Amino acid sequence: TASQVETEDLREVAVELLEDGRRRRAEAGSPSPSPSAVADCLSLEEREAHVRFLASGLRQLKSGFVSLDASRLWLLFWIVHGLELLGVAYDGETGLLEADFPASDRLRAVLHRAPSKQACLDFVASCQNNSGGFGGGPQQLSHVATTYAAVASLLIIGGRNESEKEAGLAVVDRASALVFLKRLQVKEGPYRGAF
């Protein structure tokens, strides 16, 4: 069928990318995968294109994305995690996105126009409700999954070292978050999804 052919084609492309990444690491004298193993599979031009696309999602989304309003924290998580995999993170001093690879002037300009680290931290903080949990966006119902997305985003946005990560987590009202999570726990131990 057509889907089987597409799946095989995708599998072949994935294998080629992985092999190319292994070859590049071996040529660089680093046979083991680096934290940026995903980025190692891309040319610099491809990497920059992916980073530009992801960084554009940090700004206000177009009206066609209104159906994803309840997923804004997930979108933030996926974007900042993708940027992290590609070697881009918020700088601890400037609060701007910086690349850990030789970026073009065009890419540096895109990264510096992206919302600041503080703006992202403020957005995540605005999603925490009085219940202690986080909704998918401001004034949305708390859910354990979006609470996870919030904490994971804060760890990535916070920075690359432990003190910066801790500063990122400082926006969480930990006492109320703990109450929220304990309220979701059932007698046997696993958690329910929402209220």
Side-chain angles (χ1 to χ4, degrees), residues 41-72:
C41 295
L42 303 171
S43 69
L44 187 57
E45 294 80 21
E46 292 168 324
R47 190 176 188 181
E48 286 201 8
H50 286 293
V51 169
R52 283 193 307 273
F53 174 77
L54 289 169
S56 72
L58 287 173
R59 293 188 295 277
Q60 186 163 350
L61 294 172
K62 294 182 169 82
S63 61
F65 289 93
V66 72
S67 63
L68 296 175
D69 190 53
S71 299
R72 289 172 63 193

Side-chain angles (χ1 to χ4, degrees), residues 134-176:
F134 288 80
Q139 301 178 352
Q140 300 209 5
L141 295 176
S142 297
H143 191 281
V144 72
T146 49
T147 300
Y148 166 82
V151 172
S153 296
L154 290 170
L155 285 169
I156 296 168
I157 295 166
R160 294 182 175 167
N161 65 49
E162 290 306 312
S163 65
E164 288 177 348
K165 288 182 187 305
E166 187 60 35
L169 290 174
V171 304
V172 177
D173 177 349
R174 293 179 187 196
S176 66

Side-chain angles (χ1 to χ4, degrees), residues 24-156:
R24 288 182 195 189
R25 284 192 303 278
E27 288 172 359
S30 175
S32 61
S34 67
S36 62
V38 170
D40 292 344
C41 295
L42 303 171
S43 69
L44 187 57
E45 294 80 21
E46 292 168 324
R47 190 176 188 181
E48 286 201 8
H50 286 293
V51 169
R52 283 193 307 273
F53 174 77
L54 289 169
S56 72
L58 287 173
R59 293 188 295 277
Q60 186 163 350
L61 294 172
K62 294 182 169 82
S63 61
F65 289 93
V66 72
S67 63
L68 296 175
D69 190 53
S71 299
R72 289 172 63 193
L73 266 177
W74 280 113
L75 292 170
L76 177 64
F77 167 70
W78 291 323
I79 290 169
V80 295
H81 182 57
L83 289 170
E84 181 184 45
L85 291 172
L86 292 166
V88 174
Y90 280 101
D91 182 84
E93 292 180 23
T94 67
L96 300 174
L97 283 173
E98 297 289 344
D100 68 1
F101 57 91
S104 67
D105 291 339
R106 178 180 176 203
L107 180 60
R108 279 194 298 278
V110 167
L111 294 177
H112 290 183
R113 283 194 310 269
S116 69
K117 176 180 183 172
Q118 191 58 53
C120 290
L121 294 175
D122 291 344
F123 169 72
V124 175
S126 75
C127 296
Q128 189 170 23
N129 296 311
N130 292 336
S131 69
F134 288 80
Q139 301 178 352
Q140 300 209 5
L141 295 176
S142 297
H143 191 281
V144 72
T146 49
T147 300
Y148 166 82
V151 172
S153 296
L154 290 170
L155 285 169
I156 296 168

